Amino acid sequence: MKQPPLLQPSIHEVRPLPVPKIWHWIGGAILTLLAMGFVQVLVTNDNMQWGVVAKYLFSAQILSGLGMTLMLTVLAMVLGLAIGIILAIMRLSSSRVFQTTSWGWIWFFRGIPPLVQMIFWYNLALLLPQISIGIPFGPKLASWDTNLLITPFSAAIMGLAFTESAYAAEMIRAGIQAVSSGQTEAAATLGLTRGQTLRRVILPQALRIVIPPIGNDTISMLKFTSLVSVLALPDLLYSAQMVYARTYQTVPLLIVATIWYLVLTTVLTLLEHALEHRLKAEHQKSLAKTRSWFRPRFFGSGQRAY
Amino acid sequence: MTEPLLKVEQLRKSFGAHDVLRGIDLAVKRGDVTCIVGPSGSGKSTLLRCLNHLETPTKGVVFLNGVPVGVRWKGNRLYQMSFNELARQRQRMGMVFQAFNLFPHKTVLENVTEAPILVRRIKRKAAEVEAMDLLERVGMAERANYYPPQLSGGQQQRAAIARSLAMKPDLMLFDEPTSALDPELVGEVLAVMRQLADDGMTMVVVTHEMGFARDVADHLVFMDGGVIIEEGAPADLLTHPHHERTKAFLSRVLNTV
Ligand SMILES: Nc1ncnc2c1ncn2[C@@H]1O[C@H](COP(=O)(O)OP(=O)(O)OP(=O)(O)O)[C@@H](O)[C@H]1O
Ligand SMILES: [Mg+2]
């Protein structure tokens, strides 16, 4: 047998060298070049007009647009979630009428682009010049001029919130179904009414389950609000558009809007991560503690789990 | 002889074509502990769940204090009760589940005070005083501020018992309260139940714990195939069963215990 060369150290004393990652280096070099090119365009291209960007970034008009964007996001989400909860409950009720109504609403508002809805709502007066409360085909109790009720703002909120309600309803329904039936039964044996069971036992647990997807929806909603510029509602984007319609500084003002959208989505993403992290930590803590009693229940004598 | 607290007459329950309960008659005296035993699938849980109408019986009536449960006369017509009407009757019957079913998003104390505040409409302070008393009784006072997932199965079940007692029920139903527990935790829950029996609580207990049935029950019921095969004093039934099926069941469970 051939002896190993004397210079070779003992295999126990050296650590094996890692496999060379040649493609990481090549890919990294290409991407670095591209990134440098991008930065060069940003910095040296005079069309960017960074001075203009700086001038408008904190201008009153842009900031009030920012406020409008935030308000639309919050209102549309709150309203959308509230309607979504009602739709989810109707969908799960034993009444065919409620089920079908809820199904129809979800089908309708999930199927129509929010932009189309907003324009439609805004032009509702063309279809219904008057909006009245009363008995169909019967007497009217009160009526209003549609053009007074429908403002760009209310049309925008309806378009955004109704779309959101359709998506939220499906998420919340899944959340409610994920809460075990044992919870409802325990509440029933304690004498809680239906409403109490829903409010105090089921919804708090279901909403906890749907917090991560709702966070996601909020970020989408923030971006969808930019659609309201078609209604000439001064949100972040439309405020920027109004400025460049006057000054023709299109690119720098779009950059101003872009910066603010990125800031807002970053903040929301961080918030969402923090929240999810907390929920996950809670969940894991509870799982670790419950493992000992889950085992006999699910893998034990083959009994029906409640 | 006084009217029994709970009376079941001609109770039947089917799920689709599957007849699970096929004519049950049963009386539970005030202050008595009734244990129900029988093989898996014999309909014990279904019977218990029919008592408080978690399942609506297909036929037959349950009387609590002589009043029919879940139905009501209006003139000479019989109506089903609405959910919220039924809720008022259900609070008279506490129920303890195999899977505990504590509310995981509330502390032990909140689990116990929830129903008294919402249903009995007493003040939070008063409810908390009562709750701490009950938690003391089941040995859970130190864990009052824990969340259920932070507790062992035995602790959760004891908290669940306290939660039911907080509604001051006339009757407590137990559906295999120790079957989901690790063996070393069974004793602490049975001890609480023994104490409860000694305090005079009327209890209906579905269980596989033959030792508990022998020592604590006043009345033992053996079910198989959706009917009561045999019932009587535990000492008699356990030592001198009449029916072949009772003998077979007892020899099986008593040998393996
Ligand atoms: N909701 C339901 N739908 C259909 N079938 C059911 C339902 N609940 C119970 N059953 C059936 O009824 C029969 C009796 O069930 P039950 O849970 O009452 O038995 P058990 O005596 O409690 O058994 P175990 O000792 O395993 O708990 C079983 O065959 C079961 O599959
Ligand atoms: Mg059972």
Side-chain angles (χ1 to χ4, degrees), chain A residues 14-47:
Chain A
V14 287
R15 292 206 320 156
L17 296 166
V19 178
K21 292 177 175 148
I22 182 79
W23 285 108
H24 288 201
W25 287 102
I26 294 175
I30 294 173
L31 290 176
T32 309
L33 281 177
L34 287 175
M36 277 166 64
F38 182 64
V39 170
Q40 188 192 13
V41 171
L42 282 186
V43 175
T44 60
N45 188 331
D46 287 339
N47 293 334

Short mmCIF file of all heavy atoms in Angstrom, two decimals, chain A residues 14-47:
data_model
loop_
_atom_site.label_atom_id
_atom_site.label_comp_id
_atom_site.label_asym_id
_atom_site.label_seq_id
_atom_site.Cartn_x
_atom_site.Cartn_y
_atom_site.Cartn_z
N VAL A 14 -7.50 18.95 10.78
CA VAL A 14 -7.86 20.04 9.86
C VAL A 14 -9.36 20.04 9.62
O VAL A 14 -10.02 19.01 9.72
CB VAL A 14 -7.14 19.89 8.50
CG1 VAL A 14 -5.69 20.24 8.64
CG2 VAL A 14 -7.34 18.50 7.95
N ARG A 15 -9.86 21.24 9.32
CA ARG A 15 -11.26 21.33 8.96
C ARG A 15 -11.37 21.36 7.44
O ARG A 15 -10.59 22.05 6.78
CB ARG A 15 -11.88 22.61 9.54
CG ARG A 15 -11.94 22.49 11.04
CD ARG A 15 -12.99 23.31 11.70
NE ARG A 15 -13.22 24.66 11.21
CZ ARG A 15 -14.39 25.25 11.39
NH1 ARG A 15 -15.38 24.59 11.97
NH2 ARG A 15 -14.57 26.50 10.98
N PRO A 16 -12.31 20.60 6.86
CA PRO A 16 -12.44 20.63 5.40
C PRO A 16 -12.82 22.03 4.92
O PRO A 16 -13.60 22.72 5.57
CB PRO A 16 -13.56 19.61 5.12
CG PRO A 16 -14.25 19.43 6.41
CD PRO A 16 -13.29 19.73 7.50
N LEU A 17 -12.22 22.43 3.78
CA LEU A 17 -12.53 23.75 3.22
C LEU A 17 -13.89 23.68 2.54
O LEU A 17 -14.28 22.64 2.01
CB LEU A 17 -11.46 24.15 2.20
CG LEU A 17 -10.08 24.34 2.82
CD1 LEU A 17 -9.01 24.40 1.74
CD2 LEU A 17 -10.05 25.58 3.69
N PRO A 18 -14.65 24.77 2.59
CA PRO A 18 -15.96 24.75 1.95
C PRO A 18 -15.85 24.64 0.43
O PRO A 18 -14.82 25.00 -0.15
CB PRO A 18 -16.59 26.08 2.36
CG PRO A 18 -15.44 26.96 2.68
CD PRO A 18 -14.34 26.07 3.19
N VAL A 19 -16.88 24.12 -0.21
CA VAL A 19 -16.93 24.05 -1.67
C VAL A 19 -16.91 25.49 -2.21
O VAL A 19 -17.67 26.33 -1.72
CB VAL A 19 -18.23 23.36 -2.12
CG1 VAL A 19 -18.32 23.33 -3.64
CG2 VAL A 19 -18.33 21.98 -1.53
N PRO A 20 -16.04 25.81 -3.16
CA PRO A 20 -16.03 27.18 -3.69
C PRO A 20 -17.35 27.52 -4.35
O PRO A 20 -17.91 26.70 -5.10
CB PRO A 20 -14.88 27.17 -4.70
CG PRO A 20 -14.56 25.75 -4.95
CD PRO A 20 -15.04 24.95 -3.80
N LYS A 21 -17.87 28.69 -4.02
CA LYS A 21 -19.19 29.07 -4.56
C LYS A 21 -19.02 30.07 -5.69
O LYS A 21 -19.33 31.25 -5.58
CB LYS A 21 -20.04 29.67 -3.44
CG LYS A 21 -20.42 28.61 -2.42
CD LYS A 21 -21.19 29.19 -1.28
CE LYS A 21 -21.64 28.05 -0.35
NZ LYS A 21 -21.70 28.46 1.04
N ILE A 22 -18.50 29.56 -6.80
CA ILE A 22 -18.11 30.42 -7.90
C ILE A 22 -19.30 31.21 -8.45
O ILE A 22 -19.18 32.40 -8.74
CB ILE A 22 -17.43 29.57 -9.01
CG1 ILE A 22 -16.97 30.45 -10.16
CG2 ILE A 22 -18.34 28.47 -9.50
CD1 ILE A 22 -15.69 31.18 -9.88
N TRP A 23 -20.48 30.57 -8.50
CA TRP A 23 -21.63 31.27 -9.09
C TRP A 23 -22.12 32.42 -8.22
O TRP A 23 -22.62 33.41 -8.71
CB TRP A 23 -22.77 30.29 -9.38
CG TRP A 23 -22.43 29.48 -10.59
CD1 TRP A 23 -22.08 28.17 -10.64
CD2 TRP A 23 -22.35 29.97 -11.93
NE1 TRP A 23 -21.79 27.78 -11.92
CE2 TRP A 23 -21.95 28.87 -12.75
CE3 TRP A 23 -22.55 31.21 -12.53
CZ2 TRP A 23 -21.77 28.99 -14.12
CZ3 TRP A 23 -22.38 31.32 -13.89
CH2 TRP A 23 -21.99 30.21 -14.68
N HIS A 24 -21.93 32.26 -6.90
CA HIS A 24 -22.29 33.38 -6.03
C HIS A 24 -21.47 34.61 -6.38
O HIS A 24 -21.96 35.73 -6.38
CB HIS A 24 -22.05 33.01 -4.57
CG HIS A 24 -23.07 32.03 -4.05
ND1 HIS A 24 -23.32 31.86 -2.72
CD2 HIS A 24 -23.87 31.16 -4.70
CE1 HIS A 24 -24.24 30.93 -2.56
NE2 HIS A 24 -24.57 30.49 -3.76
N TRP A 25 -20.17 34.35 -6.67
CA TRP A 25 -19.29 35.49 -6.97
C TRP A 25 -19.65 36.11 -8.30
O TRP A 25 -19.75 37.33 -8.43
CB TRP A 25 -17.83 35.04 -6.98
CG TRP A 25 -17.34 34.77 -5.59
CD1 TRP A 25 -17.19 33.58 -5.00
CD2 TRP A 25 -17.00 35.77 -4.63
NE1 TRP A 25 -16.76 33.73 -3.70
CE2 TRP A 25 -16.64 35.08 -3.45
CE3 TRP A 25 -16.97 37.18 -4.64
CZ2 TRP A 25 -16.25 35.75 -2.30
CZ3 TRP A 25 -16.55 37.82 -3.49
CH2 TRP A 25 -16.21 37.11 -2.33
N ILE A 26 -19.88 35.28 -9.30
CA ILE A 26 -20.21 35.82 -10.63
C ILE A 26 -21.53 36.58 -10.58
O ILE A 26 -21.64 37.72 -11.02
CB ILE A 26 -20.26 34.68 -11.66
CG1 ILE A 26 -18.86 34.07 -11.83
CG2 ILE A 26 -20.78 35.19 -13.00
CD1 ILE A 26 -18.83 32.85 -12.73
N GLY A 27 -22.54 35.93 -9.98
CA GLY A 27 -23.85 36.57 -9.89
C GLY A 27 -23.78 37.86 -9.10
O GLY A 27 -24.34 38.88 -9.49
N GLY A 28 -23.03 37.82 -7.99
CA GLY A 28 -22.89 39.01 -7.16
C GLY A 28 -22.28 40.15 -7.93
O GLY A 28 -22.73 41.30 -7.84
N ALA A 29 -21.26 39.82 -8.75
CA ALA A 29 -20.59 40.87 -9.52
C ALA A 29 -21.56 41.50 -10.51
O ALA A 29 -21.64 42.73 -10.62
CB ALA A 29 -19.39 40.27 -10.26
N ILE A 30 -22.35 40.67 -11.21
CA ILE A 30 -23.29 41.21 -12.20
C ILE A 30 -24.33 42.10 -11.52
O ILE A 30 -24.59 43.23 -11.95
CB ILE A 30 -24.00 40.05 -12.94
CG1 ILE A 30 -22.98 39.29 -13.79
CG2 ILE A 30 -25.13 40.58 -13.82
CD1 ILE A 30 -23.53 38.03 -14.44
N LEU A 31 -24.88 41.61 -10.41
CA LEU A 31 -25.91 42.39 -9.72
C LEU A 31 -25.35 43.70 -9.18
O LEU A 31 -26.02 44.73 -9.20
CB LEU A 31 -26.53 41.56 -8.59
CG LEU A 31 -27.39 40.40 -9.08
CD1 LEU A 31 -27.89 39.55 -7.91
CD2 LEU A 31 -28.58 40.93 -9.88
N THR A 32 -24.08 43.66 -8.70
CA THR A 32 -23.48 44.89 -8.20
C THR A 32 -23.37 45.92 -9.32
O THR A 32 -23.66 47.11 -9.14
CB THR A 32 -22.09 44.60 -7.61
OG1 THR A 32 -22.20 43.53 -6.70
CG2 THR A 32 -21.53 45.83 -6.90
N LEU A 33 -22.96 45.46 -10.50
CA LEU A 33 -22.84 46.37 -11.63
C LEU A 33 -24.20 47.00 -11.95
O LEU A 33 -24.31 48.22 -12.14
CB LEU A 33 -22.31 45.63 -12.86
CG LEU A 33 -20.80 45.39 -12.86
CD1 LEU A 33 -20.40 44.59 -14.10
CD2 LEU A 33 -20.06 46.73 -12.81
N LEU A 34 -25.25 46.15 -11.99
CA LEU A 34 -26.59 46.66 -12.29
C LEU A 34 -27.02 47.69 -11.25
O LEU A 34 -27.55 48.75 -11.58
CB LEU A 34 -27.59 45.51 -12.35
CG LEU A 34 -27.50 44.61 -13.57
CD1 LEU A 34 -28.47 43.43 -13.45
CD2 LEU A 34 -27.81 45.41 -14.83
N ALA A 35 -26.76 47.37 -9.97
CA ALA A 35 -27.17 48.28 -8.91
C ALA A 35 -26.44 49.61 -9.03
O ALA A 35 -27.03 50.69 -8.85
CB ALA A 35 -26.89 47.64 -7.55
N MET A 36 -25.14 49.54 -9.39
CA MET A 36 -24.39 50.78 -9.54
C MET A 36 -24.95 51.62 -10.68
O MET A 36 -25.06 52.85 -10.57
CB MET A 36 -22.90 50.47 -9.77
CG MET A 36 -22.16 50.21 -8.46
SD MET A 36 -20.54 49.45 -8.73
CE MET A 36 -19.71 50.76 -9.63
N GLY A 37 -25.33 50.94 -11.76
CA GLY A 37 -25.92 51.65 -12.89
C GLY A 37 -27.21 52.36 -12.46
O GLY A 37 -27.43 53.53 -12.79
N PHE A 38 -28.00 51.65 -11.67
CA PHE A 38 -29.27 52.20 -11.20
C PHE A 38 -29.03 53.44 -10.35
O PHE A 38 -29.66 54.50 -10.54
CB PHE A 38 -30.00 51.11 -10.41
CG PHE A 38 -31.35 51.53 -9.90
CD1 PHE A 38 -32.37 51.83 -10.80
CD2 PHE A 38 -31.61 51.61 -8.54
CE1 PHE A 38 -33.62 52.20 -10.34
CE2 PHE A 38 -32.85 51.99 -8.08
CZ PHE A 38 -33.85 52.28 -8.98
N VAL A 39 -28.07 53.31 -9.42
CA VAL A 39 -27.76 54.44 -8.54
C VAL A 39 -27.26 55.61 -9.38
O VAL A 39 -27.63 56.77 -9.15
CB VAL A 39 -26.72 54.03 -7.48
CG1 VAL A 39 -26.22 55.26 -6.73
CG2 VAL A 39 -27.33 53.02 -6.53
N GLN A 40 -26.45 55.28 -10.42
CA GLN A 40 -25.92 56.36 -11.25
C GLN A 40 -27.06 57.14 -11.92
O GLN A 40 -27.06 58.37 -11.94
CB GLN A 40 -24.98 55.79 -12.32
CG GLN A 40 -24.27 56.87 -13.09
CD GLN A 40 -23.58 56.33 -14.33
OE1 GLN A 40 -23.81 55.20 -14.76
NE2 GLN A 40 -22.71 57.14 -14.91
N VAL A 41 -28.05 56.38 -12.43
CA VAL A 41 -29.19 57.05 -13.05
C VAL A 41 -29.90 57.95 -12.03
O VAL A 41 -30.23 59.10 -12.30
CB VAL A 41 -30.18 56.01 -13.62
CG1 VAL A 41 -31.48 56.68 -14.06
CG2 VAL A 41 -29.54 55.28 -14.79
N LEU A 42 -30.10 57.39 -10.83
CA LEU A 42 -30.80 58.15 -9.79
C LEU A 42 -30.07 59.44 -9.46
O LEU A 42 -30.68 60.49 -9.30
CB LEU A 42 -30.92 57.31 -8.52
CG LEU A 42 -31.98 56.22 -8.47
CD1 LEU A 42 -32.03 55.62 -7.07
CD2 LEU A 42 -33.34 56.79 -8.82
N VAL A 43 -28.75 59.34 -9.35
CA VAL A 43 -27.99 60.47 -8.82
C VAL A 43 -27.66 61.49 -9.91
O VAL A 43 -27.81 62.69 -9.73
CB VAL A 43 -26.70 59.98 -8.14
CG1 VAL A 43 -25.84 61.15 -7.69
CG2 VAL A 43 -27.07 59.11 -6.95
N THR A 44 -27.23 60.99 -11.09
CA THR A 44 -26.67 61.92 -12.07
C THR A 44 -27.69 62.39 -13.09
O THR A 44 -27.47 63.40 -13.74
CB THR A 44 -25.49 61.27 -12.81
OG1 THR A 44 -25.99 60.11 -13.49
CG2 THR A 44 -24.39 60.89 -11.86
N ASN A 45 -28.81 61.66 -13.26
CA ASN A 45 -29.77 62.08 -14.27
C ASN A 45 -30.48 63.36 -13.81
O ASN A 45 -31.17 63.36 -12.79
CB ASN A 45 -30.79 60.94 -14.49
CG ASN A 45 -31.70 61.24 -15.65
OD1 ASN A 45 -31.96 62.41 -15.96
ND2 ASN A 45 -32.18 60.21 -16.30
N ASP A 46 -30.32 64.42 -14.56
CA ASP A 46 -30.89 65.69 -14.14
C ASP A 46 -32.41 65.69 -14.13
O ASP A 46 -33.05 66.47 -13.43
CB ASP A 46 -30.39 66.82 -15.07
CG ASP A 46 -28.95 67.14 -14.77
OD1 ASP A 46 -28.51 66.79 -13.66
OD2 ASP A 46 -28.26 67.69 -15.65
N ASN A 47 -33.01 64.78 -14.91
CA ASN A 47 -34.47 64.72 -14.96
C ASN A 47 -35.08 64.34 -13.61
O ASN A 47 -36.27 64.50 -13.41
CB ASN A 47 -34.92 63.72 -16.03
CG ASN A 47 -34.57 64.22 -17.42
OD1 ASN A 47 -34.45 65.43 -17.63
ND2 ASN A 47 -34.37 63.31 -18.34
#
